[in-house]
Amino acid sequence: MPVTDQISDFLTRIRNAGKAGHKSVDIPFSRMKINIAEILKEQGFVTDCEKVEDGVQGKIRVVLRYYKKQPAFRKIERISKPGRRVYASSDNLPRIHNGLGIAIISTSKGIMTDKQARKFNVGGEVLCTVW
């Protein structure tokens, strides 16, 4: 079944796997999704992510991280949607829970966290927030 919003589907699969207590989740591959998964890995929200070859498209296997039997993330929320894109300039980037969470931003220099975007002084589309 075709999915209209690939990133929202990606985040929902991770959120549902965390609530169900799964060790890992497989998601159809795309470069944007693997970049977001790498950011989640760097920030400590997931343990590992890797591309798994299985024919034409491939999959991303995301290994979830838990703390006291709860997922390492409390909330993963999609901000910019296909029907309503949300953009922010470098001086108006959101701060998530006073810096405890992250916003993932798609910029002209690639996909990065809000802290990295402030460092490079670039704005872009606010894809999602994680805390």
Side-chain angles (χ1 to χ4, degrees):
M1 181 164 91
V3 177
T4 57
D5 188 4
Q6 297 290 324
I7 296 176
S8 181
D9 179 61
F10 170 75
L11 298 173
T12 300
R13 286 179 190 229
I14 291 175
R15 186 181 322 114
N16 289 346
K19 286 183 180 179
H22 292 285
K23 191 172 189 169
S24 66
V25 61
D26 288 345
I27 301 158
F29 178 82
S30 80
R31 285 183 297 173
M32 183 174 278
K33 289 185 231 177
I34 195 77
N35 289 337
I36 293 172
E38 288 290 334
I39 289 174
L40 292 175
K41 179 182 172 184
E42 289 170 8
Q43 299 297 320
F45 291 108
V46 298
T47 302
D48 192 23
C49 62
E50 62 182 354
K51 183 177 180 183
V52 178
E53 297 293 334
D54 79 339
V56 180
Q57 185 176 5
K59 292 183 179 183
I60 302 169
R61 179 161 294 142
V62 178
V63 180
L64 302 177
R65 172 172 280 161
Y66 291 94
Y67 177 73
K68 294 185 180 177
K69 298 186 180 180
Q70 294 294 320
F73 53 86
R74 281 236 167 139
K75 190 172 188 180
I76 297 180
E77 185 177 30
R78 177 83 155 117
I79 301 298
S80 186
K81 300 175 183 176
R84 181 173 182 262
R85 300 289 183 186
V86 177
Y87 297 95
S89 61
S90 61
D91 54 340
N92 290 332
L93 290 171
R95 287 182 50 97
I96 310 305
H97 286 272
N98 232 0
L100 296 176
I102 62 168
I104 299 178
I105 315 291
S106 176
T107 68
S108 58
K109 295 186 178 184
I111 296 175
M112 58 184 71
T113 65
D114 55 331
K115 295 169 189 164
Q116 293 169 332
R118 280 191 201 89
K119 180 181 171 186
F120 292 123
N121 198 26
V122 293
E125 182 181 357
V126 182
L127 297 176
C128 63
T129 59
V130 184
W131 64 277

